[in-house]
Structures are given as C-alpha cells and as structure tokens.
Amino acid sequence: MTQQMPPMGVKLSEDVEYREGFPNPFRARVRWFDPQTKRRLSRSQMLPTDDDARAWLDRMHRAARRGVTPDVATMTLTEYGTSVWDLAMRGLEAKTMDPYRAGWRLRVVPTLGHIGVQAITNGVVDRAVYGWIADDYGLSTVKNSLASMVRVMEQAVRDGIIDVNPARITGWQQEYKKAEDELDDPRSLALRDWDALDALANALVARSADEYAGWGDVVRFAACTAARIGEVSGVRAKDIDRDAWIWDLCRQTTPGPGGLIDKGTKGKRRRTVPIIPEIRPLVASRLDAVGRDPMARLFTGPRGGRITTAVLRDATHWDEVVVKLGYEHLRRHDLRHTGLTWMADAGVPVHVLRLIAGHGSLTTTQRYLHPDRRSIQLAGAALSAYLGENWETISPRSGPKVVPRERSRGHLRLVR
C-alpha cells in the first residue's frame, strides 16, 4: 500500500448548480489548484437541498483550512486506508501486521469501505462489529479487524479530516460474550408464532432482488429447526432422511482463511434434528431439485453461492424489513432462539431440547424453559379447575386444622 500526503494550503472556489430531473438536484462543486502539479482539480456532490449543498461546501472549506484538499476529504475509507496504510501501521511487528492486514481486507473493506471517512460514526462502527460477531467470527479476528480500522482512523484525525476517532468503541466484548452464551433471556427474542415467521419470510423475499424465494426457505428452515444460518448453509442432500424426516446436522459454513469454508458444528457436536410437517414440502422440493447428488447443497443463493448471515442480511435488506415489521432488534441468530422457544413451549423435555440445540451446558437450555405470562395464566386456570372438580371429594379431616378460638378451662397437671 502506497502513502499519499495531502498538499497543504489550497484555496477553493465554489458553486452550486440546480439540475432539474435528478433525485438529488443540487450539485455542489469546489475547484482548486494542486500546489505540486499546478493542475486544476475539482470535486462535486449531488445533494437533495440547497442547504445540504451549502453545508457540504462548508465542510470542504474547513478541511482546506486544515490543509486537507477536497479529494482527500471526500475519500472513501478504502481509498484513504490504501493511501495512508504504511503510515498508519508504522511501528507494528510483522507478526502483528498479517492479522491486521487480513482483518482490513476481509472485513473492514467489504463492510465499510464504500463509506466516506467523514461519514463514519461510532454507530456505524458498532453495527459493523456486531455484524462480525453475529457472523461467528472469533474474538481475536474481530479484535484485529477493529484494531486495523482504529489505526487508519487515527491517522485521519492527525491529518485533520475528522476530529474524533469513531473506531474507538467499547463494550463490544460483552456483546460478543452474550452471543456466545446465547444471551440471558433468549425467549424474549423469539418470534411469537408461525404467522409471524411466515410474514417475515415473505417480506424478506419481496424486498430481495428478483424476489428470490430461497431466502424465505432459509428463514423458515432455520426457525423450525432451531439452527444457525451457517448450519443451514452447510446442509447437504445426504444429511436429510426423507423417510423419517430427520436432519443429521454435522457441519456449518463459516468464514475462514481465504474465504468461506465448511467445518464441524460449534462445539463439534453432531446433532439429530426433526423436520416438522410445516417445512417438509420446501425441503422435499429442494431435494428434488438437486437430484441424485448426495453432496449438493440444499440452500444456496440465487446464483448458487454459499449463504452466511451477512449475505442473508444484505440480500434481503434485513435491517430495513424487520424495522417495518416492528422487530427492531431481531437478528438472524434470533431464528434459532425462536425454534428453541417454540420447542420448549410445546413440551419437549429439557434433555431432548439440549440434544437438538447442541448446548454444552444444561443451564443454557433451561433458559428457554422460563414460563411466559400465558403459561402462568394457564397454570392458575388448571389449579382452579382441579379444585372445582375435586372440592366435594376432599376429606374434611384432611388439610390444615383451624385452631379453636376458646381455650380449654382445665388445669394443667404435672405428670411424673
């Protein structure tokens, strides 16, 4: 990666032009002479209102007063990181550089590289990091990816492009631990019923490009089998017993060195999962579609690619859809919470539920057994019905005795 230093002390000329017929009709433009090449350069931005255009011009002038030219001030994170990489990473040992470079190339750039440096906020970085955690990246992988971004953004602070480093976020380790521990109250994250799941699946399909029905199949299958998205992506035709309708869950698709790889499930626990009648037709149609190839993937993207939680999110505009449906905090992993909560409410014994979930600790499984309000109401109704039916048969001599109000007037005797 080469290093590029912004020229100092440029003077800008500006103009705003209204262009009718464009979604963002106000074009804000600045021009300047490069002190080194003496060439006249320009940068422009199409914006929705005249006020937005004037605000953009003000930002360019503030940057210029700091010695930052508009071409540097308007760089995307990818462009800026490429230009200052060597400077930002100075002082690091070679063994540290390798994971930093991999984190930058494989996670930071694909997630945030298209965003302008000045447009990156703490919230943007927060969502990126939580997305990596949800994608099952390891703790050290997330740490190295974030560290590379911290260094690049720190250089942007030194260059005067931004005032504060937005990549210096805290608390993400706790969120990572929660994701690993399945959270303290996973029931609160579950969809309420099949209709809610079906509505979500249909909305995601409708929002995707070409309305690819496969996204809805992935969502329904994940919820009804209480599986992770990576495990759904790893399903092969030979893993499904079509006679007994059982899924031999033995692998997952997960990010790894060089791209996506197939490996064993989390905790290396092979699981046997039932396939309920509600999703058997979609599984059967996919088995028919792949034919006799036992290693064919059952669930793929519209072009046959492997699916990750990030792919599902981006292809279906997940964040936008769940907000419209009123599930602002719903993540792809919450489909697993949904399935386990439904199974617990259906009366699946806790030791069986643990095997289906693949939990290492029974305590984790028991979190799905907390009774909800309806369960408590039903318990009260059951007790009331029992007492009503059996009140006449209860022996008057049974149960606690009432202490007489009047005491006996006899005298105490001392018995030797």
Side-chain angles (χ1 to χ4, degrees):
M1 297 184 178
T2 60
Q3 177 180 333
Q4 175 184 347
M5 297 299 295
M8 305 292 291
V10 296
K11 183 177 180 180
L12 304 181
S13 61
E14 65 178 57
D15 65 86
V16 176
E17 179 184 358
Y18 177 76
R19 293 188 169 186
E20 188 175 356
F22 287 87
N24 297 319
F26 291 88
R27 189 197 68 171
R29 182 176 61 174
V30 291
R31 295 180 177 180
W32 73 99
F33 285 97
D34 188 302
Q36 297 176 357
T37 65
K38 306 303 180 183
R39 292 177 55 195
R40 193 179 191 191
L41 305 175
S42 68
R43 278 288 185 276
S44 63
Q45 181 78 31
M46 300 297 292
L47 297 157
T49 67
D50 183 71
D51 288 341
D52 291 333
R54 299 295 174 185
W56 184 84
L57 293 174
D58 288 341
R59 289 196 298 273
M60 294 302 103
H61 280 288
R62 286 198 301 271
R65 286 193 292 271
R66 294 175 176 177
V68 180
T69 56
D71 56 345
V72 175
T74 56
M75 279 184 173
T76 64
L77 181 60
T78 299
E79 294 169 337
Y80 182 75
T82 301
S83 68
V84 301
W85 181 263
D86 292 338
L87 186 61
M89 300 298 153
R90 64 187 182 277
L92 291 180
E93 297 181 5
K95 64 180 181 180
T96 305
M97 278 292 296
D98 288 341
Y100 276 32
R101 186 179 289 108
W104 174 266
R105 179 174 58 86
L106 298 177
R107 278 161 292 281
V108 176
V109 169
T111 307
L112 301 173
H114 62 287
I115 302 176
V117 173
Q118 292 186 339
I120 295 176
T121 63
N122 291 122
V124 170
V125 180
D126 275 334
R127 286 189 287 273
V129 171
Y130 294 159
W132 299 335
I133 295 170
D135 290 345
D136 290 331
Y137 285 108
L139 176 61
S140 61
T141 300
V142 174
K143 181 180 178 180
N144 290 329
S145 302
L146 182 60
S148 66
M149 186 177 179
V150 167
R151 280 186 161 259
V152 170
M153 297 305 284
E154 196 62 37
Q155 185 61 43
V157 173
R158 288 193 289 268
D159 283 343
I161 299 175
I162 55 178
D163 296 322
V164 180
N165 188 341
R168 292 191 180 277
I169 60 172
T170 60
W172 64 269
Q173 292 91 340
Q174 287 78 7
E175 291 296 324
Y176 187 91
K177 185 176 185 302
K178 286 183 180 180
E180 289 293 314
D181 291 344
E182 301 278 2
L183 305 176
D184 293 330
D185 185 16
R187 293 179 57 87
S188 65
L189 303 173
L191 293 169
R192 61 182 179 275
D193 51 31
W194 171 264
D195 290 339
L197 173 63
D198 201 46
L200 172 64
N202 291 333
L204 293 170
V205 169
R207 189 64 182 83
S208 66
D210 300 325
E211 298 186 0
Y212 176 58
W215 301 126
D217 291 347
V218 169
V219 169
R220 293 184 181 93
F221 187 84
C224 292
T225 57
R228 303 174 179 89
I229 297 300
E231 294 168 342
V232 176
S233 181
V235 180
R236 305 296 181 97
K238 71 182 186 66
D239 300 332
I240 304 295
D241 183 342
R242 199 167 182 170
D243 296 325
W245 287 111
I246 293 294
W247 172 23
D248 179 21
L249 202 169
C250 57
R251 75 178 66 80
Q252 63 176 331
T253 300
T254 185
L260 296 175
I261 60 173
D262 284 343
K263 66 176 186 179
T265 59
K266 185 178 178 180
K268 309 301 181 184
R269 301 180 187 95
R270 197 179 189 112
R271 317 200 304 266
T272 301
V273 180
I275 299 176
I276 62 176
E278 286 77 2
I279 59 172
R280 288 175 187 173
L282 74 86
V283 175
S285 66
R286 290 193 165 272
L287 286 171
D288 293 340
V290 300
R292 298 182 178 181
D293 182 4
M295 295 303 294
R297 294 180 183 274
L298 243 58
F299 298 98
T300 61
R303 298 181 181 179
R306 286 176 284 186
I307 298 170
T308 66
T309 181
V311 169
L312 176 62
R313 176 195 64 213
D314 296 341
T316 62
H317 300 269
W318 176 283
D319 295 336
E320 173 189 326
V321 170
V322 297
V323 168
K324 287 184 178 179
L325 293 176
Y327 308 131
E328 289 84 355
H329 304 293
L330 189 74
R331 307 167 305 163
R332 277 73 60 202
H333 193 71
D334 295 335
L335 298 172
R336 171 171 164 82
H337 297 318
T338 294
L340 292 175
T341 299
W342 289 357
M343 291 180 191
D345 288 347
V348 176
V350 64
H351 65 282
V352 177
L353 188 62
R354 177 187 176 187
L355 294 176
I356 294 174
H359 289 150
S361 169
L362 186 62
T363 303
T364 303
T365 309
Q366 289 173 331
R367 293 170 181 161
Y368 293 91
L369 304 181
H370 296 164
D372 56 18
R373 184 180 297 273
R374 181 170 179 272
S375 299
I376 294 173
Q377 292 172 340
L378 291 175
L383 175 59
S384 179
Y386 169 77
L387 293 176
E389 293 173 359
N390 296 278
W391 185 257
E392 298 297 333
T393 63
I394 296 176
S395 171
R397 295 183 180 180
S398 64
K401 302 297 188 294
V402 178
V403 178
R405 293 183 179 179
E406 295 184 1
R407 294 184 178 181
S408 173
R409 295 184 179 181
H411 298 285
L412 293 175
R413 280 190 313 174
L414 179 60
V415 180
R416 296 184 184 275

